[in-house]
Amino acid sequence: MGFLDIVFYGFVAVVIIQVIFYVFFFSKFAFAKKQKVSQKNIPVSVIICAKNEAENLKAFLPSVIAQDYPDFEIVLINDASKDDTLEVMEHFSKAHSNIKIVNVKSIEAFWGNKKYALTLGIKAAKNDYLLFTDADCKPVSKQWIKKMSSHFSNKKSIVLGYGAYGKINKSFLNKLIRFETLVTAINYFSFAKLGMPYMGVGRNLAYTRKEFFNANGFINHIKIRSGDDDLFVNQMATVRNTALCYTSGSFTKSTPKKTFDAWFKQKRRHVSTAKHYKLKHKVLLALLYVSNLLFWILSILLITTLYNWKIVLALFLTRIILQYTVMGLSSKKLKELDLIFFIPFLEIFLIVMQLTIFINNLVSKPNHWK
């Protein structure tokens, strides 16, 4: 058996793996029925942890304050900021009685650890239902609290939401950031639909105080400075206690990075937590990534050599059509349809970037919380 024969059969195996992912995993979310929202009016504590976020609080906190919901408080955590973050919080709290401030000062044992600050904020919250977002996030509607909290029930104590990034016209970096965010959301929504929830994003995440204290807070991963959102979900989320919220109006929108270097550093932090996921999640995510990488490498090699080109082309198009169908339906749900045309280019670039980030993280540890 020659080299191209091995490449060909490897390509067939890779396409089969990709088809399995798209048909049995990602289609679960893509073809999911439209969600119905029934307002429950349960008391909610919105928790925002901020470190040197004075300007973002000025810009985005009013959209949280303006939520159309009968019973909610806002817990603002000032995590040892060096700018005017505390002063901005105090300004808003004077005008709004439902704002509570938790002023966290650095202590040596937990220096720079967001989880310590979040723990103090959660303990200070008066309500049992907690909704998390970031200081640079804006709810896309006044129904955000209503729609996210509607998925809590006697059985559902964790709610995974979608945290989008704002659009910047004529920016490839912005498209790449939003595409990576879309792919990540499709992954965690699809896995959760299949009964294997493995992560959520702190830009839009909800869980109960009871769930937090059942986990002993962040104690299992307190020494890992990142992962206050995904590692907590990875530890506590199950098929029984986890709900998804992807109705329009339930999303948050964040300010995207404007330089490649800033985004690269942010992704290094995010990727560094994945090695702490449960083994089954790590295996599946690694298989997904490796099969994506090999799909493009092997297909390019086989097409350029014209080896069994009819079969190769048929397999290539089968995977591409499946991808466009599933991602098209998913991106429609998440209001990211404008990215679909660029899928092949963005996917190839993202695969290369993820490989670069993985290698960089092996060489040196990424920096964390500001």
Side-chain angles (χ1 to χ4, degrees):
M1 185 181 290
F3 172 70
L4 286 178
D5 295 314
I6 296 172
V7 171
F8 174 73
Y9 288 115
F11 178 68
V12 172
V14 164
V15 171
I16 291 172
I17 292 170
Q18 288 275 291
V19 168
I20 290 171
F21 270 110
Y22 279 102
V23 172
F24 295 101
F25 284 74
F26 303 141
S27 64
K28 292 290 184 182
F29 175 63
F31 292 96
K33 294 179 181 179
K34 187 176 181 180
Q35 292 183 310
K36 295 180 181 179
V37 178
S38 55
Q39 186 166 340
K40 295 182 178 177
N41 295 337
I42 54 178
V44 173
S45 293
V46 177
I47 298 182
I48 302 172
C49 190
K51 189 177 186 70
N52 303 323
E53 295 279 14
E55 296 307 313
N56 280 327
L57 285 170
K58 290 177 187 176
F60 301 117
L61 186 55
S63 62
V64 178
I65 293 170
Q67 286 293 297
D68 181 15
Y69 196 77
D71 188 359
F72 73 101
E73 69 167 351
I74 302 172
V75 180
L76 299 176
I77 308 165
N78 174 43
D79 186 10
S81 298
K82 295 180 180 178
D83 67 354
D84 295 331
T85 292
L86 181 59
E87 288 77 5
V88 172
M89 290 178 174
E90 289 172 341
H91 169 78
F92 280 109
S93 69
K94 289 176 182 177
H96 303 278
S97 59
N98 64 334
I99 292 179
K100 179 182 295 181
I101 297 173
V102 177
N103 188 28
V104 180
K105 297 181 180 180
S106 287
I107 62 172
E108 187 175 350
F110 296 104
W111 184 86
N113 195 327
K114 182 181 178 183
K115 293 172 188 175
Y116 170 66
L118 272 173
T119 299
L120 297 183
I122 291 169
K123 288 182 176 180
K126 70 177 183 180
N127 298 319
D128 292 329
Y129 297 94
L130 314 175
L131 177 54
F132 297 83
T133 191
D134 289 339
D136 65 346
C137 292
K138 177 181 180 180
V140 299
S141 79
K142 291 185 177 182
Q143 308 301 313
W144 171 58
I145 298 178
K146 171 185 174 181
K147 294 191 175 188
M148 285 291 290
S149 63
S150 72
H151 293 276
F152 281 118
S153 68
N154 291 335
K155 294 182 179 179
K156 303 297 183 182
S157 55
I158 299 174
V159 183
L160 309 180
Y162 180 53
Y165 280 100
K167 298 178 184 179
I168 299 175
N169 292 330
K170 299 179 180 180
S171 168
F172 177 78
L173 174 62
N174 180 253
K175 285 183 173 62
L176 184 63
I177 290 171
R178 290 171 50 230
F179 179 73
E180 189 273 336
T181 304
L182 172 65
V183 169
T184 300
I186 291 173
N187 287 354
Y188 70 72
F189 279 139
S190 299
F191 275 61
K193 275 283 184 184
L194 202 62
M196 292 187 292
Y198 74 93
M199 71 161 285
V201 292
R203 302 187 302 276
N204 197 4
L205 174 67
Y207 50 79
T208 62
R209 281 171 59 91
K210 183 180 178 181
E211 201 69 64
F212 180 77
F213 289 112
N214 283 345
N216 290 320
F218 302 119
I219 196 66
N220 282 11
H221 45 89
I222 193 70
K223 293 181 180 179
I224 304 165
R225 291 192 173 182
S226 57
D228 54 275
D229 46 9
D230 57 342
L231 291 184
F232 178 82
V233 172
N234 195 262
Q235 176 190 349
M236 298 304 295
T238 68
V239 63
R240 294 178 297 278
N241 70 2
T242 305
L244 314 181
C245 183
Y246 48 85
T247 53
S248 59
S250 71
F251 308 153
T252 61
K253 187 169 289 187
S254 303
T255 304
K257 300 296 183 184
K258 293 181 174 63
T259 67
F260 186 83
D261 184 58
W263 178 71
F264 187 82
K265 289 177 180 177
Q266 181 188 55
K267 294 320 297 177
R268 284 192 66 192
R269 293 195 299 271
H270 294 170
V271 170
S272 68
T273 63
K275 65 182 180 182
H276 302 287
Y277 290 175
K278 293 174 183 174
L279 179 61
K280 62 181 179 180
H281 301 141
K282 289 192 289 186
V283 170
L284 285 169
L285 291 171
L287 182 61
L288 174 61
Y289 174 77
V290 171
S291 64
N292 278 335
L293 175 64
L294 290 177
F295 171 79
W296 286 105
I297 292 175
L298 299 182
S299 61
I300 292 170
L301 180 59
L302 290 168
I303 290 171
T304 53
T305 59
L306 296 179
Y307 182 89
N308 279 348
W309 70 269
K310 290 182 180 179
I311 299 175
V312 170
L313 184 60
L315 291 171
F316 179 84
L317 290 176
T318 297
R319 188 272 194 181
I320 292 294
I321 291 168
L322 259 178
Q323 182 184 38
Y324 266 92
T325 302
V326 170
M327 289 198 69
L329 291 170
S330 299
S331 61
K332 185 177 181 181
K333 281 185 173 69
L334 301 177
K335 306 299 180 185
E336 303 284 11
L337 265 176
D338 63 302
L339 296 172
I340 295 306
F341 177 77
F342 304 97
I343 281 180
F345 313 102
L346 292 170
E347 182 177 49
I348 292 171
F349 202 90
L350 184 60
I351 288 170
V352 173
M353 285 309 307
Q354 288 171 330
L355 183 60
T356 306
I357 288 168
F358 176 75
I359 294 170
N360 269 269
N361 281 1
L362 287 178
V363 175
S364 62
K365 291 184 179 180
N367 295 321
H368 293 286
W369 188 232
K370 303 167 189 177

PDB file of all heavy atoms in Angstrom, residues 302-317:
ATOM      1  N   LEU A 302      -4.954  15.299  -1.328  1.00  0.00           N
ATOM      2  CA  LEU A 302      -5.549  14.378  -2.295  1.00  0.00           C
ATOM      3  C   LEU A 302      -6.089  15.098  -3.528  1.00  0.00           C
ATOM      4  O   LEU A 302      -5.962  14.604  -4.656  1.00  0.00           O
ATOM      5  CB  LEU A 302      -6.671  13.574  -1.626  1.00  0.00           C
ATOM      6  CG  LEU A 302      -6.211  12.544  -0.593  1.00  0.00           C
ATOM      7  CD1 LEU A 302      -7.398  12.019   0.210  1.00  0.00           C
ATOM      8  CD2 LEU A 302      -5.477  11.382  -1.262  1.00  0.00           C
ATOM      9  N   ILE A 303      -6.674  16.260  -3.321  1.00  0.00           N
ATOM     10  CA  ILE A 303      -7.225  17.003  -4.468  1.00  0.00           C
ATOM     11  C   ILE A 303      -6.112  17.521  -5.373  1.00  0.00           C
ATOM     12  O   ILE A 303      -6.219  17.482  -6.595  1.00  0.00           O
ATOM     13  CB  ILE A 303      -8.126  18.158  -3.972  1.00  0.00           C
ATOM     14  CG1 ILE A 303      -9.417  17.577  -3.362  1.00  0.00           C
ATOM     15  CG2 ILE A 303      -8.457  19.125  -5.103  1.00  0.00           C
ATOM     16  CD1 ILE A 303     -10.276  18.603  -2.656  1.00  0.00           C
ATOM     17  N   THR A 304      -5.021  17.990  -4.781  1.00  0.00           N
ATOM     18  CA  THR A 304      -3.902  18.510  -5.599  1.00  0.00           C
ATOM     19  C   THR A 304      -3.193  17.397  -6.374  1.00  0.00           C
ATOM     20  O   THR A 304      -2.605  17.649  -7.425  1.00  0.00           O
ATOM     21  CB  THR A 304      -2.874  19.241  -4.722  1.00  0.00           C
ATOM     22  OG1 THR A 304      -2.462  18.373  -3.645  1.00  0.00           O
ATOM     23  CG2 THR A 304      -3.455  20.525  -4.154  1.00  0.00           C
ATOM     24  N   THR A 305      -3.252  16.158  -5.866  1.00  0.00           N
ATOM     25  CA  THR A 305      -2.621  15.039  -6.585  1.00  0.00           C
ATOM     26  C   THR A 305      -3.615  14.300  -7.484  1.00  0.00           C
ATOM     27  O   THR A 305      -3.222  13.385  -8.218  1.00  0.00           O
ATOM     28  CB  THR A 305      -2.022  14.032  -5.583  1.00  0.00           C
ATOM     29  OG1 THR A 305      -3.057  13.547  -4.716  1.00  0.00           O
ATOM     30  CG2 THR A 305      -0.919  14.677  -4.768  1.00  0.00           C
ATOM     31  N   LEU A 306      -4.907  14.685  -7.399  1.00  0.00           N
ATOM     32  CA  LEU A 306      -5.986  14.069  -8.184  1.00  0.00           C
ATOM     33  C   LEU A 306      -6.129  12.571  -7.905  1.00  0.00           C
ATOM     34  O   LEU A 306      -6.597  11.807  -8.758  1.00  0.00           O
ATOM     35  CB  LEU A 306      -5.763  14.302  -9.690  1.00  0.00           C
ATOM     36  CG  LEU A 306      -5.803  15.762 -10.167  1.00  0.00           C
ATOM     37  CD1 LEU A 306      -5.547  15.848 -11.659  1.00  0.00           C
ATOM     38  CD2 LEU A 306      -7.142  16.391  -9.818  1.00  0.00           C
ATOM     39  N   TYR A 307      -5.749  12.146  -6.725  1.00  0.00           N
ATOM     40  CA  TYR A 307      -5.848  10.733  -6.354  1.00  0.00           C
ATOM     41  C   TYR A 307      -7.311  10.399  -6.034  1.00  0.00           C
ATOM     42  O   TYR A 307      -7.912  10.988  -5.139  1.00  0.00           O
ATOM     43  CB  TYR A 307      -4.967  10.428  -5.143  1.00  0.00           C
ATOM     44  CG  TYR A 307      -4.974   8.976  -4.726  1.00  0.00           C
ATOM     45  CD1 TYR A 307      -4.065   8.082  -5.266  1.00  0.00           C
ATOM     46  CD2 TYR A 307      -5.905   8.504  -3.805  1.00  0.00           C
ATOM     47  CE1 TYR A 307      -4.062   6.743  -4.893  1.00  0.00           C
ATOM     48  CE2 TYR A 307      -5.923   7.173  -3.417  1.00  0.00           C
ATOM     49  CZ  TYR A 307      -5.002   6.293  -3.970  1.00  0.00           C
ATOM     50  OH  TYR A 307      -5.015   4.964  -3.599  1.00  0.00           O
ATOM     51  N   ASN A 308      -7.869   9.430  -6.798  1.00  0.00           N
ATOM     52  CA  ASN A 308      -9.286   9.061  -6.636  1.00  0.00           C
ATOM     53  C   ASN A 308     -10.164  10.308  -6.512  1.00  0.00           C
ATOM     54  O   ASN A 308     -11.022  10.398  -5.624  1.00  0.00           O
ATOM     55  CB  ASN A 308      -9.472   8.177  -5.392  1.00  0.00           C
ATOM     56  CG  ASN A 308      -9.128   6.725  -5.643  1.00  0.00           C
ATOM     57  OD1 ASN A 308      -8.949   6.308  -6.787  1.00  0.00           O
ATOM     58  ND2 ASN A 308      -9.031   5.942  -4.578  1.00  0.00           N
ATOM     59  N   TRP A 309      -9.942  11.253  -7.369  1.00  0.00           N
ATOM     60  CA  TRP A 309     -10.493  12.595  -7.186  1.00  0.00           C
ATOM     61  C   TRP A 309     -12.015  12.628  -7.139  1.00  0.00           C
ATOM     62  O   TRP A 309     -12.606  13.459  -6.447  1.00  0.00           O
ATOM     63  CB  TRP A 309      -9.959  13.542  -8.257  1.00  0.00           C
ATOM     64  CG  TRP A 309     -10.477  13.280  -9.643  1.00  0.00           C
ATOM     65  CD1 TRP A 309      -9.929  12.475 -10.590  1.00  0.00           C
ATOM     66  CD2 TRP A 309     -11.657  13.854 -10.226  1.00  0.00           C
ATOM     67  NE1 TRP A 309     -10.678  12.487 -11.735  1.00  0.00           N
ATOM     68  CE2 TRP A 309     -11.749  13.340 -11.542  1.00  0.00           C
ATOM     69  CE3 TRP A 309     -12.627  14.750  -9.790  1.00  0.00           C
ATOM     70  CZ2 TRP A 309     -12.794  13.683 -12.409  1.00  0.00           C
ATOM     71  CZ3 TRP A 309     -13.660  15.096 -10.632  1.00  0.00           C
ATOM     72  CH2 TRP A 309     -13.735  14.566 -11.936  1.00  0.00           C
ATOM     73  N   LYS A 310     -12.681  11.722  -7.851  1.00  0.00           N
ATOM     74  CA  LYS A 310     -14.148  11.718  -7.841  1.00  0.00           C
ATOM     75  C   LYS A 310     -14.684  11.338  -6.458  1.00  0.00           C
ATOM     76  O   LYS A 310     -15.600  11.971  -5.938  1.00  0.00           O
ATOM     77  CB  LYS A 310     -14.675  10.758  -8.904  1.00  0.00           C
ATOM     78  CG  LYS A 310     -14.446  11.228 -10.335  1.00  0.00           C
ATOM     79  CD  LYS A 310     -15.044  10.250 -11.331  1.00  0.00           C
ATOM     80  CE  LYS A 310     -14.806  10.748 -12.764  1.00  0.00           C
ATOM     81  NZ  LYS A 310     -15.353   9.803 -13.772  1.00  0.00           N
ATOM     82  N   ILE A 311     -14.094  10.300  -5.878  1.00  0.00           N
ATOM     83  CA  ILE A 311     -14.524   9.875  -4.538  1.00  0.00           C
ATOM     84  C   ILE A 311     -14.149  10.932  -3.504  1.00  0.00           C
ATOM     85  O   ILE A 311     -14.945  11.268  -2.617  1.00  0.00           O
ATOM     86  CB  ILE A 311     -13.886   8.517  -4.169  1.00  0.00           C
ATOM     87  CG1 ILE A 311     -14.327   7.437  -5.147  1.00  0.00           C
ATOM     88  CG2 ILE A 311     -14.244   8.132  -2.729  1.00  0.00           C
ATOM     89  CD1 ILE A 311     -13.654   6.095  -4.922  1.00  0.00           C
ATOM     90  N   VAL A 312     -12.933  11.449  -3.626  1.00  0.00           N
ATOM     91  CA  VAL A 312     -12.466  12.479  -2.692  1.00  0.00           C
ATOM     92  C   VAL A 312     -13.363  13.710  -2.752  1.00  0.00           C
ATOM     93  O   VAL A 312     -13.773  14.251  -1.717  1.00  0.00           O
ATOM     94  CB  VAL A 312     -10.997  12.871  -2.992  1.00  0.00           C
ATOM     95  CG1 VAL A 312     -10.596  14.103  -2.183  1.00  0.00           C
ATOM     96  CG2 VAL A 312     -10.058  11.712  -2.689  1.00  0.00           C
ATOM     97  N   LEU A 313     -13.696  14.133  -3.978  1.00  0.00           N
ATOM     98  CA  LEU A 313     -14.559  15.309  -4.142  1.00  0.00           C
ATOM     99  C   LEU A 313     -15.944  15.057  -3.564  1.00  0.00           C
ATOM    100  O   LEU A 313     -16.528  15.944  -2.917  1.00  0.00           O
ATOM    101  CB  LEU A 313     -14.652  15.686  -5.622  1.00  0.00           C
ATOM    102  CG  LEU A 313     -15.440  16.962  -5.945  1.00  0.00           C
ATOM    103  CD1 LEU A 313     -14.813  18.170  -5.258  1.00  0.00           C
ATOM    104  CD2 LEU A 313     -15.522  17.182  -7.452  1.00  0.00           C
ATOM    105  N   ALA A 314     -16.472  13.860  -3.775  1.00  0.00           N
ATOM    106  CA  ALA A 314     -17.793  13.521  -3.243  1.00  0.00           C
ATOM    107  C   ALA A 314     -17.793  13.553  -1.715  1.00  0.00           C
ATOM    108  O   ALA A 314     -18.727  14.095  -1.093  1.00  0.00           O
ATOM    109  CB  ALA A 314     -18.219  12.143  -3.736  1.00  0.00           C
ATOM    110  N   LEU A 315     -16.758  12.982  -1.115  1.00  0.00           N
ATOM    111  CA  LEU A 315     -16.650  12.992   0.350  1.00  0.00           C
ATOM    112  C   LEU A 315     -16.465  14.414   0.879  1.00  0.00           C
ATOM    113  O   LEU A 315     -17.064  14.801   1.898  1.00  0.00           O
ATOM    114  CB  LEU A 315     -15.485  12.111   0.793  1.00  0.00           C
ATOM    115  CG  LEU A 315     -15.656  10.599   0.581  1.00  0.00           C
ATOM    116  CD1 LEU A 315     -14.350   9.874   0.856  1.00  0.00           C
ATOM    117  CD2 LEU A 315     -16.766  10.054   1.472  1.00  0.00           C
ATOM    118  N   PHE A 316     -15.625  15.181   0.189  1.00  0.00           N
ATOM    119  CA  PHE A 316     -15.369  16.573   0.571  1.00  0.00           C
ATOM    120  C   PHE A 316     -16.675  17.377   0.558  1.00  0.00           C
ATOM    121  O   PHE A 316     -16.994  18.087   1.518  1.00  0.00           O
ATOM    122  CB  PHE A 316     -14.349  17.195  -0.382  1.00  0.00           C
ATOM    123  CG  PHE A 316     -14.024  18.631  -0.103  1.00  0.00           C
ATOM    124  CD1 PHE A 316     -13.066  18.982   0.843  1.00  0.00           C
ATOM    125  CD2 PHE A 316     -14.686  19.654  -0.773  1.00  0.00           C
ATOM    126  CE1 PHE A 316     -12.763  20.302   1.102  1.00  0.00           C
ATOM    127  CE2 PHE A 316     -14.386  20.981  -0.525  1.00  0.00           C
ATOM    128  CZ  PHE A 316     -13.421  21.315   0.416  1.00  0.00           C
ATOM    129  N   LEU A 317     -17.441  17.241  -0.522  1.00  0.00           N
ATOM    130  CA  LEU A 317     -18.686  18.004  -0.653  1.00  0.00           C
ATOM    131  C   LEU A 317     -19.738  17.538   0.347  1.00  0.00           C
ATOM    132  O   LEU A 317     -20.518  18.344   0.858  1.00  0.00           O
ATOM    133  CB  LEU A 317     -19.225  17.883  -2.077  1.00  0.00           C
ATOM    134  CG  LEU A 317     -18.406  18.609  -3.157  1.00  0.00           C
ATOM    135  CD1 LEU A 317     -18.985  18.336  -4.544  1.00  0.00           C
ATOM    136  CD2 LEU A 317     -18.368  20.109  -2.889  1.00  0.00           C
TER     137      LEU A 317
END
